[in-house]
Amino acid sequence: MSKKIQRITGKTGVIGIFGFPVEHSFSPVMHNAAFQAGGLDYVYVPFEVPPERLAEAVSAIRALKLRGVNVTIPHKERVVQYLDSLSEEARLIGAVNTIVRSGDELKGYNTDAAGFLRSLEEKKVAVQGANVLLLGAGGAARAVAVQLALAGARRVGIVVRNSGWRKAEGIAEIVAGHSCAKSTVALFENTQDLIAEKGNIIINCTPVGMHPNVMEMPPFKLDTIPADSVVCDLIYNPAETLFLKTAKARGLKTVSGSGMLLYQGTLAYELWTRQQAPVDIMRTALEEALQRC
Ligand code: NAP
């Protein structure tokens, strides 16, 4: 990674991230490394935006002529109402993680789900015809469910505890309404019928196992699933969760959430700059930042 000090001038374009809290975000490190390596006159800064000030913060994108922003927890869904237009995926998912300004027009995109899909492609995991099982039914699960259904998954199962049932049904309806995939909802204790003989992709979309609770894993039995199953985790800290370690010990292929984090960033970079993202620079910056925490 370049260690040059970035010169900020009156011409420097500003891009940011709105979150609450935001200080733990890895995006500033990843994007600033990319801008410096590419010689692009942009700087990426974190903005802590409390929920009640989100509308003002979105207006400030226009007033301050920011090139765009990322949007993270807890704003991804509420921000939709303040934008002028949405990409097709963001509309279906109902959440935005990237905003691009053109003049006074703000357009929202969702690069989280596309980033996850790219991380599967990188690991040569076939989504076409797959039997996808999502553990959890929050915002990330909805994004991934819609994206994988649009990418040709055959069946999308959403596995929840009791409190998540309604959200899971909402996801199942979107999937059934906009793709050919069959959608099913089940409780964690009733997943046996959801496992196919082959082509399973199992994805932890819950925060169970995330730092500092690294000795926890979602209540899903990995010991009886077919040997060709792929096990994924959206968690990126730690890069390899106990869930993935357990799957790996069984000889199963695994995909970490760090790929999703990387590729949601590279896709956002390309939307803002209209240039190809320096993927390796961004990956290195991200890995270094993850190792430091
Ligand atoms: P969220 O909206 O809060 O949803 C969390 C889901 O997990 C809910 O369905 C929740 O169920 C379920 N859950 C929580 N604790 C559980 C437990 N102990 N047992 C079973 N289910 C449980 O969160 P999110 O925004 O979707 O994020 C989910 C995960 O994805 C987080 O770890 C986040 O860091 C990760 N993520 C990663 C990336 C990336 O770039 N790699 C991007 C986005 C998100 P209830 O409704 O019943 O509480």
Side-chain angles (χ1 to χ4, degrees):
M1 195 192 348
S2 166
K3 301 285 183 219
K4 273 186 309 188
I5 294 175
Q6 188 173 1
R7 267 186 216 292
I8 295 176
T9 70
K11 292 183 190 156
T12 303
V14 180
I15 295 176
I17 177 164
F18 291 175
F20 190 76
V22 77
E23 67 258 33
H24 302 299
S25 172
F26 293 102
S27 293
V29 167
M30 179 167 64
H31 284 291
N32 285 319
F35 294 146
Q36 287 191 37
L40 266 66
D41 194 7
Y42 283 110
V43 63
Y44 186 106
V45 286
F47 293 108
E48 188 179 84
V49 177
E52 68 277 12
R53 307 206 70 170
L54 180 61
E56 286 172 80
V58 174
S59 291
I61 300 173
R62 300 184 184 95
L64 301 175
K65 292 193 183 303
L66 305 188
R67 178 75 193 100
V69 293
N70 277 139
V71 181
T72 188
I73 291 171
H75 304 311
K76 288 184 188 183
E77 288 158 28
R78 274 194 54 236
V79 78
V80 165
Q81 64 191 303
Y82 304 123
L83 304 177
D84 299 303
S85 60
L86 296 176
S87 71
E88 179 64 4
E89 282 147 346
R91 189 183 64 75
L92 282 179
I93 292 164
V96 157
N97 80 323
T98 302
I99 299 173
V100 180
R101 182 186 63 81
S102 308
D104 265 352
E105 291 281 307
L106 300 182
K107 181 166 181 179
Y109 297 82
N110 192 308
T111 68
D112 281 333
F116 178 69
L117 188 60
R118 199 167 277 194
S119 78
L120 291 185
E121 285 163 5
E122 182 183 48
K123 298 272 180 169
K124 311 234 178 310
V125 176
V127 173
Q128 185 74 38
N131 180 52
V132 174
L133 251 73
L134 301 155
L135 313 184
R142 191 171 66 230
V144 167
V146 169
Q147 189 80 45
L148 297 191
L150 293 176
R154 180 173 56 83
R155 192 161 76 150
V156 175
I158 306 137
V159 182
V160 286
R161 50 185 179 181
N162 281 314
S163 50
W165 191 267
R166 284 176 72 105
K167 280 196 221 162
E169 283 187 330
I171 297 175
E173 268 175 39
I174 303 173
V175 167
H178 294 91
S179 73
C180 302
K182 185 167 179 262
S183 56
T184 320
V185 177
L187 293 174
F188 275 98
E189 50 273 32
N190 286 333
T191 52
Q192 56 285 354
D193 293 343
L194 297 190
I195 310 291
E197 277 176 24
K198 54 181 186 155
N200 295 290
I201 304 177
I202 293 145
I203 309 161
N204 177 29
C205 305
T206 79
V208 182
M210 191 160 70
H211 179 82
N213 304 312
V214 296
M215 294 314 289
E216 295 179 5
M217 58 186 267
F220 179 84
K221 284 199 175 64
L222 289 168
D223 45 358
T224 52
I225 57 173
D228 75 330
S229 302
V230 179
V231 178
C232 314
D233 207 319
L234 300 194
I235 293 171
Y236 50 81
N237 185 15
E240 191 173 62
T241 57
L242 181 60
F243 191 53
L244 293 191
K245 280 185 184 145
T246 308
K248 212 181 229 179
R250 270 218 54 216
L252 303 172
K253 187 170 191 169
T254 61
V255 179
S256 158
S258 53
M260 176 177 181
L261 182 62
L262 169 67
Y263 287 115
Q264 63 75 30
T266 64
L267 292 167
Y269 178 102
E270 288 169 4
L271 286 168
W272 294 318
T273 66
R274 299 192 188 96
Q275 295 196 23
Q276 202 172 356
V279 178
D280 290 338
I281 300 277
M282 294 172 83
R283 190 194 310 271
T284 303
L286 196 55
E287 283 171 358
E288 287 177 358
L290 281 165
Q291 274 164 16
R292 280 195 297 273
C293 69

